[in-house]
Amino acid sequence: MLEVLQYSFIQNALIAGILISIAAGIIGSLVVVNKITFLTGGIAHSSYGGIGLAIYLGIPVLFGATIFAVLTAIIIAIITLKNRTRIDAIIGIMWASGMAIGIIFVDLTPGYNVDLMSYLFGSIIAVSNEDLIFMSLLDFFIIFIILFFYKQILAVSYDSEFASLRGINVKFFYTLILILAALCVVAAIKAVGLILVIALLTIPTYLAETFANKLSSMMLISSILATIFTIIGLIVSYVYDISSGASIIMVSVIILTVVKLIGLKR
């Protein structure tokens, strides 16, 4: 089994898995605490429009997806802050339109015949050195933002009204959280794809809530759990020759189920 580590694509996959897990653990905690899982799902699927546009323009896919996802996050933040009663309809529209834009641009790209399923369900084995650089920079950026604005983000996440009374710009930090979620979603595309990315963000955090009593420890435990799930999922994927994204998520679900069942029995 260890002999496969000599291959560069396996090494890249492991490094990518760890980098993505760190981001997913941190951002997943914010997504769960702020109860914006559905909003993050809308951003994830909307970013497919950026993938299609990048393919059409001949620019790096992750760059196109990043720009599109961040713009979508800002738009969603602006709209939902003004009209929270219609969040479900707004997200549904952004979700569908982003996917439609992506499909249309891919169809308009002459001679493009690459299987787009890898973007929907992930293909971590195909991670390039450029992707690793992007993921590394993303991790440093997320960690820097969290360390620098931790108190403000903590206040906004748990009691936005109290944070507003304390003079914290709630709108700014709410938008910032959505932008960080958008960046994390783009980074996770290579690992689990757009369809399964929400599971990677939420399952480790849901399990970490059992052991954590504050946001910082939840982020740390979530990152560790996501890393474990990803590594085990990659091993299962290699041994049984199945999709890496689906393997990672199923390993997460199985471990979560076992832990919760043990907790219920106790």
Side-chain angles (χ1 to χ4, degrees), residues 27 30-32 34-47 69 72-95 174-175 177-179 181-182 185 197-198 201-202:
I27 301 305
L30 294 179
V31 167
V32 171
N34 284 276
K35 299 178 181 179
I36 55 172
T37 303
F38 188 49
L39 271 69
T40 307
I43 295 171
H45 289 79
S46 296
S47 65
T72 301
I74 294 173
I75 293 171
I76 288 177
I78 293 172
I79 295 175
T80 54
L81 281 169
K82 292 182 178 179
N83 189 7
R84 288 182 175 272
T85 59
R86 304 303 300 167
I87 287 180
D88 54 346
I90 293 167
I91 298 303
I93 292 169
M94 298 293 291
W95 185 315
Y174 174 75
T175 305
I177 291 170
L178 284 182
I179 290 174
V185 161
V197 67
I198 297 303
L201 289 175
T202 54

mmCIF file of all heavy atoms in Angstrom, residues 27 30-32 34-47 69 72-95 174-175 177-179 181-182 185 197-198 201-202:
data_model
loop_
_atom_site.group_PDB
_atom_site.id
_atom_site.type_symbol
_atom_site.label_atom_id
_atom_site.label_comp_id
_atom_site.label_asym_id
_atom_site.label_seq_id
_atom_site.Cartn_x
_atom_site.Cartn_y
_atom_site.Cartn_z
ATOM 1 N N ILE A 27 -14.036 26.917 8.019
ATOM 2 C CA ILE A 27 -15.198 27.555 7.400
ATOM 3 C C ILE A 27 -16.479 26.777 7.691
ATOM 4 O O ILE A 27 -17.548 27.364 7.871
ATOM 5 C CB ILE A 27 -14.994 27.697 5.881
ATOM 6 C CG1 ILE A 27 -13.748 28.531 5.600
ATOM 7 C CG2 ILE A 27 -16.212 28.347 5.242
ATOM 8 C CD1 ILE A 27 -13.739 29.897 6.261
ATOM 9 N N LEU A 30 -18.014 27.951 10.824
ATOM 10 C CA LEU A 30 -18.734 29.218 10.659
ATOM 11 C C LEU A 30 -20.065 29.004 9.940
ATOM 12 O O LEU A 30 -21.067 29.645 10.278
ATOM 13 C CB LEU A 30 -17.876 30.212 9.868
ATOM 14 C CG LEU A 30 -16.597 30.699 10.556
ATOM 15 C CD1 LEU A 30 -15.839 31.654 9.645
ATOM 16 C CD2 LEU A 30 -16.921 31.379 11.872
ATOM 17 N N VAL A 31 -20.059 28.118 8.967
ATOM 18 C CA VAL A 31 -21.287 27.836 8.208
ATOM 19 C C VAL A 31 -22.358 27.251 9.124
ATOM 20 O O VAL A 31 -23.527 27.666 9.094
ATOM 21 C CB VAL A 31 -20.993 26.876 7.041
ATOM 22 C CG1 VAL A 31 -22.295 26.326 6.442
ATOM 23 C CG2 VAL A 31 -20.178 27.572 5.961
ATOM 24 N N VAL A 32 -21.964 26.308 9.970
ATOM 25 C CA VAL A 32 -22.925 25.655 10.858
ATOM 26 C C VAL A 32 -23.396 26.603 11.948
ATOM 27 O O VAL A 32 -24.591 26.706 12.237
ATOM 28 C CB VAL A 32 -22.298 24.380 11.477
ATOM 29 C CG1 VAL A 32 -23.203 23.814 12.573
ATOM 30 C CG2 VAL A 32 -22.062 23.327 10.400
ATOM 31 N N ASN A 34 -23.435 29.875 11.985
ATOM 32 C CA ASN A 34 -24.246 30.967 11.434
ATOM 33 C C ASN A 34 -25.507 30.478 10.725
ATOM 34 O O ASN A 34 -26.290 31.296 10.231
ATOM 35 C CB ASN A 34 -23.406 31.798 10.463
ATOM 36 C CG ASN A 34 -22.434 32.719 11.150
ATOM 37 O OD1 ASN A 34 -22.777 33.821 11.558
ATOM 38 N ND2 ASN A 34 -21.190 32.264 11.305
ATOM 39 N N LYS A 35 -25.666 29.158 10.645
ATOM 40 C CA LYS A 35 -26.839 28.545 10.008
ATOM 41 C C LYS A 35 -27.022 29.040 8.559
ATOM 42 O O LYS A 35 -28.111 29.457 8.154
ATOM 43 C CB LYS A 35 -28.104 28.843 10.825
ATOM 44 C CG LYS A 35 -28.037 28.292 12.241
ATOM 45 C CD LYS A 35 -29.269 28.632 13.052
ATOM 46 C CE LYS A 35 -29.155 28.084 14.468
ATOM 47 N NZ LYS A 35 -30.333 28.426 15.310
ATOM 48 N N ILE A 36 -25.932 28.988 7.799
ATOM 49 C CA ILE A 36 -25.968 29.436 6.404
ATOM 50 C C ILE A 36 -25.612 28.293 5.451
ATOM 51 O O ILE A 36 -25.035 28.515 4.388
ATOM 52 C CB ILE A 36 -25.010 30.634 6.174
ATOM 53 C CG1 ILE A 36 -23.589 30.294 6.626
ATOM 54 C CG2 ILE A 36 -25.516 31.861 6.886
ATOM 55 C CD1 ILE A 36 -22.559 31.350 6.253
ATOM 56 N N THR A 37 -25.936 27.073 5.863
ATOM 57 C CA THR A 37 -25.624 25.920 5.021
ATOM 58 C C THR A 37 -26.294 26.021 3.658
ATOM 59 O O THR A 37 -25.674 25.748 2.625
ATOM 60 C CB THR A 37 -26.083 24.619 5.715
ATOM 61 O OG1 THR A 37 -25.459 24.527 6.999
ATOM 62 C CG2 THR A 37 -25.690 23.402 4.881
ATOM 63 N N PHE A 38 -27.569 26.434 3.644
ATOM 64 C CA PHE A 38 -28.297 26.545 2.382
ATOM 65 C C PHE A 38 -27.715 27.651 1.509
ATOM 66 O O PHE A 38 -27.597 27.512 0.296
ATOM 67 C CB PHE A 38 -29.778 26.810 2.662
ATOM 68 C CG PHE A 38 -30.645 26.755 1.441
ATOM 69 C CD1 PHE A 38 -30.568 25.693 0.555
ATOM 70 C CD2 PHE A 38 -31.551 27.773 1.166
ATOM 71 C CE1 PHE A 38 -31.365 25.630 -0.582
ATOM 72 C CE2 PHE A 38 -32.355 27.724 0.036
ATOM 73 C CZ PHE A 38 -32.256 26.650 -0.838
ATOM 74 N N LEU A 39 -27.307 28.759 2.142
ATOM 75 C CA LEU A 39 -26.693 29.848 1.392
ATOM 76 C C LEU A 39 -25.383 29.393 0.767
ATOM 77 O O LEU A 39 -25.091 29.688 -0.394
ATOM 78 C CB LEU A 39 -26.440 31.052 2.311
ATOM 79 C CG LEU A 39 -27.562 32.089 2.448
ATOM 80 C CD1 LEU A 39 -28.731 31.501 3.207
ATOM 81 C CD2 LEU A 39 -27.051 33.343 3.128
ATOM 82 N N THR A 40 -24.590 28.651 1.531
ATOM 83 C CA THR A 40 -23.317 28.142 1.021
ATOM 84 C C THR A 40 -23.538 27.156 -0.119
ATOM 85 O O THR A 40 -22.771 27.129 -1.084
ATOM 86 C CB THR A 40 -22.532 27.462 2.161
ATOM 87 O OG1 THR A 40 -22.424 28.359 3.267
ATOM 88 C CG2 THR A 40 -21.125 27.089 1.695
ATOM 89 N N GLY A 41 -24.604 26.362 -0.017
ATOM 90 C CA GLY A 41 -24.944 25.450 -1.109
ATOM 91 C C GLY A 41 -25.284 26.201 -2.377
ATOM 92 O O GLY A 41 -24.898 25.797 -3.486
ATOM 93 N N GLY A 42 -26.003 27.319 -2.220
ATOM 94 C CA GLY A 42 -26.317 28.147 -3.384
ATOM 95 C C GLY A 42 -25.069 28.721 -4.026
ATOM 96 O O GLY A 42 -24.935 28.746 -5.251
ATOM 97 N N ILE A 43 -24.122 29.172 -3.209
ATOM 98 C CA ILE A 43 -22.853 29.698 -3.728
ATOM 99 C C ILE A 43 -22.078 28.604 -4.447
ATOM 100 O O ILE A 43 -21.511 28.831 -5.527
ATOM 101 C CB ILE A 43 -22.008 30.278 -2.582
ATOM 102 C CG1 ILE A 43 -22.705 31.499 -1.976
ATOM 103 C CG2 ILE A 43 -20.613 30.656 -3.063
ATOM 104 C CD1 ILE A 43 -22.052 32.015 -0.701
ATOM 105 N N ALA A 44 -22.073 27.413 -3.865
ATOM 106 C CA ALA A 44 -21.335 26.295 -4.460
ATOM 107 C C ALA A 44 -21.839 25.979 -5.863
ATOM 108 O O ALA A 44 -21.058 25.864 -6.813
ATOM 109 C CB ALA A 44 -21.457 25.059 -3.560
ATOM 110 N N HIS A 45 -23.126 25.846 -6.001
ATOM 111 C CA HIS A 45 -23.684 25.486 -7.301
ATOM 112 C C HIS A 45 -23.656 26.657 -8.283
ATOM 113 O O HIS A 45 -23.524 26.456 -9.488
ATOM 114 C CB HIS A 45 -25.109 24.952 -7.136
ATOM 115 C CG HIS A 45 -25.159 23.600 -6.499
ATOM 116 N ND1 HIS A 45 -25.023 23.424 -5.144
ATOM 117 C CD2 HIS A 45 -25.298 22.356 -7.023
ATOM 118 C CE1 HIS A 45 -25.086 22.134 -4.858
ATOM 119 N NE2 HIS A 45 -25.262 21.465 -5.979
ATOM 120 N N SER A 46 -23.746 27.865 -7.763
ATOM 121 C CA SER A 46 -23.650 29.036 -8.633
ATOM 122 C C SER A 46 -22.261 29.161 -9.240
ATOM 123 O O SER A 46 -22.102 29.657 -10.363
ATOM 124 C CB SER A 46 -23.982 30.307 -7.846
ATOM 125 O OG SER A 46 -25.315 30.295 -7.399
ATOM 126 N N SER A 47 -21.242 28.707 -8.511
ATOM 127 C CA SER A 47 -19.871 28.817 -8.999
ATOM 128 C C SER A 47 -19.632 27.967 -10.250
ATOM 129 O O SER A 47 -18.631 28.151 -10.948
ATOM 130 C CB SER A 47 -18.881 28.409 -7.906
ATOM 131 O OG SER A 47 -19.006 27.043 -7.575
ATOM 132 N N ALA A 69 -17.749 32.817 -7.705
ATOM 133 C CA ALA A 69 -18.260 32.450 -6.384
ATOM 134 C C ALA A 69 -18.233 33.639 -5.429
ATOM 135 O O ALA A 69 -19.183 33.849 -4.661
ATOM 136 C CB ALA A 69 -17.438 31.295 -5.808
ATOM 137 N N THR A 72 -20.966 36.040 -6.386
ATOM 138 C CA THR A 72 -22.244 35.460 -5.969
ATOM 139 C C THR A 72 -22.448 35.636 -4.466
ATOM 140 O O THR A 72 -23.557 35.969 -4.010
ATOM 141 C CB THR A 72 -22.299 33.965 -6.329
ATOM 142 O OG1 THR A 72 -22.128 33.800 -7.735
ATOM 143 C CG2 THR A 72 -23.620 33.352 -5.901
ATOM 144 N N ALA A 73 -21.389 35.406 -3.686
ATOM 145 C CA ALA A 73 -21.476 35.549 -2.235
ATOM 146 C C ALA A 73 -21.830 36.980 -1.852
ATOM 147 O O ALA A 73 -22.658 37.209 -0.958
ATOM 148 C CB ALA A 73 -20.149 35.148 -1.592
ATOM 149 N N ILE A 74 -21.218 37.948 -2.528
ATOM 150 C CA ILE A 74 -21.502 39.359 -2.235
ATOM 151 C C ILE A 74 -22.950 39.702 -2.583
ATOM 152 O O ILE A 74 -23.646 40.375 -1.809
ATOM 153 C CB ILE A 74 -20.520 40.269 -3.009
ATOM 154 C CG1 ILE A 74 -19.094 40.063 -2.485
ATOM 155 C CG2 ILE A 74 -20.935 41.734 -2.871
ATOM 156 C CD1 ILE A 74 -18.043 40.783 -3.295
ATOM 157 N N ILE A 75 -23.403 39.227 -3.746
ATOM 158 C CA ILE A 75 -24.785 39.491 -4.168
ATOM 159 C C ILE A 75 -25.778 38.879 -3.188
ATOM 160 O O ILE A 75 -26.758 39.513 -2.768
ATOM 161 C CB ILE A 75 -25.031 38.945 -5.592
ATOM 162 C CG1 ILE A 75 -24.208 39.739 -6.614
ATOM 163 C CG2 ILE A 75 -26.511 39.012 -5.949
ATOM 164 C CD1 ILE A 75 -24.216 39.147 -7.995
ATOM 165 N N ILE A 76 -25.520 37.624 -2.798
ATOM 166 C CA ILE A 76 -26.409 36.940 -1.857
ATOM 167 C C ILE A 76 -26.420 37.663 -0.517
ATOM 168 O O ILE A 76 -27.476 37.820 0.120
ATOM 169 C CB ILE A 76 -25.976 35.467 -1.681
ATOM 170 C CG1 ILE A 76 -26.317 34.668 -2.950
ATOM 171 C CG2 ILE A 76 -26.663 34.837 -0.467
ATOM 172 C CD1 ILE A 76 -25.857 33.230 -2.905
ATOM 173 N N ALA A 77 -25.247 38.114 -0.067
ATOM 174 C CA ALA A 77 -25.163 38.837 1.208
ATOM 175 C C ALA A 77 -25.992 40.119 1.155
ATOM 176 O O ALA A 77 -26.757 40.413 2.081
ATOM 177 C CB ALA A 77 -23.713 39.161 1.529
ATOM 178 N N ILE A 78 -25.854 40.873 0.077
ATOM 179 C CA ILE A 78 -26.591 42.138 -0.059
ATOM 180 C C ILE A 78 -28.102 41.893 -0.080
ATOM 181 O O ILE A 78 -28.871 42.572 0.612
ATOM 182 C CB ILE A 78 -26.157 42.874 -1.340
ATOM 183 C CG1 ILE A 78 -24.702 43.337 -1.216
ATOM 184 C CG2 ILE A 78 -27.068 44.069 -1.614
ATOM 185 C CD1 ILE A 78 -24.132 43.902 -2.500
ATOM 186 N N ILE A 79 -28.514 40.894 -0.871
ATOM 187 C CA ILE A 79 -29.948 40.627 -1.016
ATOM 188 C C ILE A 79 -30.551 40.075 0.273
ATOM 189 O O ILE A 79 -31.618 40.517 0.723
ATOM 190 C CB ILE A 79 -30.205 39.650 -2.182
ATOM 191 C CG1 ILE A 79 -29.792 40.295 -3.512
ATOM 192 C CG2 ILE A 79 -31.675 39.242 -2.227
ATOM 193 C CD1 ILE A 79 -29.893 39.358 -4.704
ATOM 194 N N THR A 80 -29.871 39.106 0.898
ATOM 195 C CA THR A 80 -30.420 38.466 2.090
ATOM 196 C C THR A 80 -30.426 39.399 3.297
ATOM 197 O O THR A 80 -31.275 39.268 4.186
ATOM 198 C CB THR A 80 -29.644 37.184 2.439
ATOM 199 O OG1 THR A 80 -28.235 37.488 2.548
ATOM 200 C CG2 THR A 80 -29.856 36.132 1.387
ATOM 201 N N LEU A 81 -29.495 40.349 3.344
ATOM 202 C CA LEU A 81 -29.487 41.315 4.438
ATOM 203 C C LEU A 81 -30.693 42.241 4.355
ATOM 204 O O LEU A 81 -31.212 42.702 5.380
ATOM 205 C CB LEU A 81 -28.196 42.136 4.411
ATOM 206 C CG LEU A 81 -26.953 41.451 5.000
ATOM 207 C CD1 LEU A 81 -25.704 42.248 4.681
ATOM 208 C CD2 LEU A 81 -27.100 41.271 6.515
ATOM 209 N N LYS A 82 -31.146 42.512 3.134
ATOM 210 C CA LYS A 82 -32.286 43.408 2.941
ATOM 211 C C LYS A 82 -33.622 42.671 2.957
ATOM 212 O O LYS A 82 -34.651 43.250 3.292
ATOM 213 C CB LYS A 82 -32.135 44.151 1.609
ATOM 214 C CG LYS A 82 -30.985 45.157 1.592
ATOM 215 C CD LYS A 82 -30.933 45.895 0.261
ATOM 216 C CE LYS A 82 -29.820 46.938 0.248
ATOM 217 N NZ LYS A 82 -29.749 47.658 -1.056
ATOM 218 N N ASN A 83 -33.607 41.384 2.579
ATOM 219 C CA ASN A 83 -34.878 40.667 2.450
ATOM 220 C C ASN A 83 -34.706 39.219 2.905
ATOM 221 O O ASN A 83 -34.619 38.302 2.096
ATOM 222 C CB ASN A 83 -35.358 40.712 0.998
ATOM 223 C CG ASN A 83 -36.773 40.175 0.842
ATOM 224 O OD1 ASN A 83 -37.444 39.882 1.832
ATOM 225 N ND2 ASN A 83 -37.220 40.021 -0.386
ATOM 226 N N ARG A 84 -34.646 39.004 4.212
ATOM 227 C CA ARG A 84 -34.427 37.670 4.764
ATOM 228 C C ARG A 84 -35.646 36.754 4.625
ATOM 229 O O ARG A 84 -35.514 35.537 4.726
ATOM 230 C CB ARG A 84 -34.025 37.764 6.236
ATOM 231 C CG ARG A 84 -32.617 38.302 6.441
ATOM 232 C CD ARG A 84 -32.255 38.331 7.920
ATOM 233 N NE ARG A 84 -30.873 38.730 8.117
ATOM 234 C CZ ARG A 84 -29.839 37.908 8.125
ATOM 235 N NH1 ARG A 84 -30.039 36.620 7.939
ATOM 236 N NH2 ARG A 84 -28.622 38.354 8.335
ATOM 237 N N THR A 85 -36.822 37.334 4.401
ATOM 238 C CA THR A 85 -38.030 36.515 4.313
ATOM 239 C C THR A 85 -38.091 35.701 3.034
ATOM 240 O O THR A 85 -38.842 34.738 2.951
ATOM 241 C CB THR A 85 -39.285 37.396 4.412
ATOM 242 O OG1 THR A 85 -39.278 38.358 3.341
ATOM 243 C CG2 THR A 85 -39.318 38.136 5.747
ATOM 244 N N ARG A 86 -37.302 36.091 2.025
ATOM 245 C CA ARG A 86 -37.338 35.387 0.752
ATOM 246 C C ARG A 86 -35.999 34.730 0.417
ATOM 247 O O ARG A 86 -35.628 34.576 -0.745
ATOM 248 C CB ARG A 86 -37.724 36.355 -0.372
ATOM 249 C CG ARG A 86 -39.030 37.084 -0.148
ATOM 250 C CD ARG A 86 -40.187 36.129 0.045
ATOM 251 N NE ARG A 86 -40.382 35.265 -1.105
ATOM 252 C CZ ARG A 86 -41.152 34.177 -1.128
ATOM 253 N NH1 ARG A 86 -41.772 33.816 -0.019
ATOM 254 N NH2 ARG A 86 -41.276 33.470 -2.221
ATOM 255 N N ILE A 87 -35.254 34.353 1.457
ATOM 256 C CA ILE A 87 -33.935 33.769 1.242
ATOM 257 C C ILE A 87 -34.009 32.511 0.388
ATOM 258 O O ILE A 87 -33.200 32.305 -0.524
ATOM 259 C CB ILE A 87 -33.266 33.446 2.595
ATOM 260 C CG1 ILE A 87 -32.819 34.742 3.269
ATOM 261 C CG2 ILE A 87 -32.055 32.535 2.399
ATOM 262 C CD1 ILE A 87 -32.160 34.537 4.607
ATOM 263 N N ASP A 88 -34.996 31.644 0.671
ATOM 264 C CA ASP A 88 -35.081 30.372 -0.050
ATOM 265 C C ASP A 88 -35.272 30.588 -1.545
ATOM 266 O O ASP A 88 -34.630 29.929 -2.373
ATOM 267 C CB ASP A 88 -36.212 29.507 0.526
ATOM 268 C CG ASP A 88 -37.548 30.249 0.557
ATOM 269 O OD1 ASP A 88 -37.550 31.489 0.385
ATOM 270 O OD2 ASP A 88 -38.590 29.588 0.741
ATOM 271 N N ALA A 89 -36.142 31.526 -1.912
ATOM 272 C CA ALA A 89 -36.385 31.796 -3.329
ATOM 273 C C ALA A 89 -35.154 32.415 -3.998
ATOM 274 O O ALA A 89 -34.793 32.058 -5.127
ATOM 275 C CB ALA A 89 -37.584 32.730 -3.488
ATOM 276 N N ILE A 90 -34.490 33.320 -3.296
ATOM 277 C CA ILE A 90 -33.306 33.987 -3.841
ATOM 278 C C ILE A 90 -32.192 32.980 -4.100
ATOM 279 O O ILE A 90 -31.572 32.973 -5.169
ATOM 280 C CB ILE A 90 -32.822 35.081 -2.869
ATOM 281 C CG1 ILE A 90 -33.853 36.207 -2.785
ATOM 282 C CG2 ILE A 90 -31.467 35.646 -3.319
ATOM 283 C CD1 ILE A 90 -33.617 37.168 -1.640
ATOM 284 N N ILE A 91 -31.949 32.108 -3.127
ATOM 285 C CA ILE A 91 -30.894 31.097 -3.276
ATOM 286 C C ILE A 91 -31.239 30.136 -4.403
ATOM 287 O O ILE A 91 -30.372 29.735 -5.185
ATOM 288 C CB ILE A 91 -30.705 30.316 -1.959
ATOM 289 C CG1 ILE A 91 -30.274 31.267 -0.847
ATOM 290 C CG2 ILE A 91 -29.656 29.234 -2.143
ATOM 291 C CD1 ILE A 91 -29.025 32.047 -1.132
ATOM 292 N N GLY A 92 -32.503 29.759 -4.493
ATOM 293 C CA GLY A 92 -32.924 28.861 -5.567
ATOM 294 C C GLY A 92 -32.661 29.455 -6.939
ATOM 295 O O GLY A 92 -32.195 28.771 -7.859
ATOM 296 N N ILE A 93 -32.934 30.750 -7.080
ATOM 297 C CA ILE A 93 -32.715 31.430 -8.358
ATOM 298 C C ILE A 93 -31.221 31.486 -8.686
ATOM 299 O O ILE A 93 -30.808 31.196 -9.813
ATOM 300 C CB ILE A 93 -33.308 32.853 -8.313
ATOM 301 C CG1 ILE A 93 -34.835 32.778 -8.231
ATOM 302 C CG2 ILE A 93 -32.894 33.664 -9.542
ATOM 303 C CD1 ILE A 93 -35.490 34.114 -7.925
ATOM 304 N N MET A 94 -30.388 31.871 -7.705
ATOM 305 C CA MET A 94 -28.942 31.956 -7.912
ATOM 306 C C MET A 94 -28.363 30.584 -8.226
ATOM 307 O O MET A 94 -27.482 30.434 -9.081
ATOM 308 C CB MET A 94 -28.275 32.537 -6.660
ATOM 309 C CG MET A 94 -28.704 33.950 -6.297
ATOM 310 S SD MET A 94 -28.169 35.188 -7.493
ATOM 311 C CE MET A 94 -26.421 35.189 -7.224
ATOM 312 N N TRP A 95 -28.848 29.583 -7.519
ATOM 313 C CA TRP A 95 -28.406 28.189 -7.705
ATOM 314 C C TRP A 95 -28.653 27.758 -9.143
ATOM 315 O O TRP A 95 -27.736 27.294 -9.836
ATOM 316 C CB TRP A 95 -29.193 27.339 -6.719
ATOM 317 C CG TRP A 95 -28.852 25.887 -6.622
ATOM 318 C CD1 TRP A 95 -28.633 25.019 -7.646
ATOM 319 C CD2 TRP A 95 -28.709 25.137 -5.414
ATOM 320 N NE1 TRP A 95 -28.367 23.761 -7.157
ATOM 321 C CE2 TRP A 95 -28.412 23.813 -5.792
ATOM 322 C CE3 TRP A 95 -28.823 25.441 -4.068
ATOM 323 C CZ2 TRP A 95 -28.207 22.802 -4.853
ATOM 324 C CZ3 TRP A 95 -28.621 24.443 -3.131
ATOM 325 C CH2 TRP A 95 -28.320 23.143 -3.520
ATOM 326 N N TYR A 174 -20.700 39.578 8.119
ATOM 327 C CA TYR A 174 -21.602 38.592 7.507
ATOM 328 C C TYR A 174 -21.195 38.341 6.053
ATOM 329 O O TYR A 174 -21.099 37.187 5.599
ATOM 330 C CB TYR A 174 -23.040 39.101 7.576
ATOM 331 C CG TYR A 174 -24.056 38.248 6.852
ATOM 332 C CD1 TYR A 174 -24.490 37.034 7.384
ATOM 333 C CD2 TYR A 174 -24.596 38.654 5.637
ATOM 334 C CE1 TYR A 174 -25.433 36.259 6.725
ATOM 335 C CE2 TYR A 174 -25.532 37.889 4.968
ATOM 336 C CZ TYR A 174 -25.944 36.687 5.521
ATOM 337 O OH TYR A 174 -26.859 35.914 4.850
ATOM 338 N N THR A 175 -20.907 39.412 5.332
ATOM 339 C CA THR A 175 -20.448 39.294 3.937
ATOM 340 C C THR A 175 -19.094 38.608 3.874
ATOM 341 O O THR A 175 -18.852 37.772 2.993
ATOM 342 C CB THR A 175 -20.355 40.686 3.277
ATOM 343 O OG1 THR A 175 -21.610 41.349 3.386
ATOM 344 C CG2 THR A 175 -19.976 40.561 1.799
ATOM 345 N N ILE A 177 -17.868 36.397 5.944
ATOM 346 C CA ILE A 177 -18.053 34.958 6.191
ATOM 347 C C ILE A 177 -18.520 34.249 4.924
ATOM 348 O O ILE A 177 -18.043 33.156 4.589
ATOM 349 C CB ILE A 177 -19.045 34.735 7.347
ATOM 350 C CG1 ILE A 177 -18.418 35.187 8.671
ATOM 351 C CG2 ILE A 177 -19.456 33.262 7.433
ATOM 352 C CD1 ILE A 177 -19.397 35.228 9.835
ATOM 353 N N LEU A 178 -19.446 34.872 4.206
ATOM 354 C CA LEU A 178 -19.930 34.270 2.958
ATOM 355 C C LEU A 178 -18.827 34.212 1.899
ATOM 356 O O LEU A 178 -18.724 33.241 1.141
ATOM 357 C CB LEU A 178 -21.122 35.057 2.423
ATOM 358 C CG LEU A 178 -22.466 34.837 3.123
ATOM 359 C CD1 LEU A 178 -23.556 35.654 2.451
ATOM 360 C CD2 LEU A 178 -22.848 33.365 3.137
ATOM 361 N N ILE A 179 -17.991 35.243 1.842
ATOM 362 C CA ILE A 179 -16.875 35.248 0.881
ATOM 363 C C ILE A 179 -15.875 34.139 1.224
ATOM 364 O O ILE A 179 -15.394 33.428 0.336
ATOM 365 C CB ILE A 179 -16.175 36.619 0.873
ATOM 366 C CG1 ILE A 179 -17.095 37.673 0.245
ATOM 367 C CG2 ILE A 179 -14.855 36.554 0.105
ATOM 368 C CD1 ILE A 179 -16.549 39.081 0.314
ATOM 369 N N ALA A 181 -16.578 31.392 2.765
ATOM 370 C CA ALA A 181 -17.248 30.144 2.397
ATOM 371 C C ALA A 181 -17.146 29.895 0.896
ATOM 372 O O ALA A 181 -16.924 28.758 0.455
ATOM 373 C CB ALA A 181 -18.712 30.193 2.827
ATOM 374 N N ALA A 182 -17.287 30.964 0.099
ATOM 375 C CA ALA A 182 -17.178 30.844 -1.355
ATOM 376 C C ALA A 182 -15.787 30.373 -1.761
ATOM 377 O O ALA A 182 -15.629 29.499 -2.624
ATOM 378 C CB ALA A 182 -17.497 32.182 -2.015
ATOM 379 N N VAL A 185 -15.349 26.717 -0.881
ATOM 380 C CA VAL A 185 -16.100 25.886 -1.832
ATOM 381 C C VAL A 185 -15.290 25.663 -3.100
ATOM 382 O O VAL A 185 -15.187 24.537 -3.603
ATOM 383 C CB VAL A 185 -17.451 26.549 -2.175
ATOM 384 C CG1 VAL A 185 -18.023 25.985 -3.466
ATOM 385 C CG2 VAL A 185 -18.446 26.361 -1.039
ATOM 386 N N VAL A 197 -19.756 19.153 -1.732
ATOM 387 C CA VAL A 197 -18.922 20.050 -0.927
ATOM 388 C C VAL A 197 -19.585 20.438 0.391
ATOM 389 O O VAL A 197 -18.903 20.583 1.419
ATOM 390 C CB VAL A 197 -18.551 21.314 -1.741
ATOM 391 C CG1 VAL A 197 -19.769 22.166 -2.032
ATOM 392 C CG2 VAL A 197 -17.497 22.138 -1.017
ATOM 393 N N ILE A 198 -20.884 20.590 0.404
ATOM 394 C CA ILE A 198 -21.579 20.979 1.635
ATOM 395 C C ILE A 198 -21.424 19.892 2.705
ATOM 396 O O ILE A 198 -21.326 20.192 3.899
ATOM 397 C CB ILE A 198 -23.067 21.258 1.360
ATOM 398 C CG1 ILE A 198 -23.196 22.444 0.410
ATOM 399 C CG2 ILE A 198 -23.811 21.551 2.654
ATOM 400 C CD1 ILE A 198 -22.533 23.707 0.904
ATOM 401 N N LEU A 201 -18.182 20.310 4.434
ATOM 402 C CA LEU A 201 -18.180 21.474 5.318
ATOM 403 C C LEU A 201 -18.965 21.232 6.603
ATOM 404 O O LEU A 201 -18.643 21.812 7.640
ATOM 405 C CB LEU A 201 -18.764 22.689 4.594
ATOM 406 C CG LEU A 201 -17.914 23.312 3.477
ATOM 407 C CD1 LEU A 201 -18.700 24.417 2.779
ATOM 408 C CD2 LEU A 201 -16.614 23.857 4.016
ATOM 409 N N THR A 202 -19.987 20.401 6.535
ATOM 410 C CA THR A 202 -20.900 20.275 7.676
ATOM 411 C C THR A 202 -20.702 19.016 8.530
ATOM 412 O O THR A 202 -20.857 19.074 9.746
ATOM 413 C CB THR A 202 -22.355 20.309 7.195
ATOM 414 O OG1 THR A 202 -22.553 19.300 6.189
ATOM 415 C CG2 THR A 202 -22.691 21.672 6.596
#
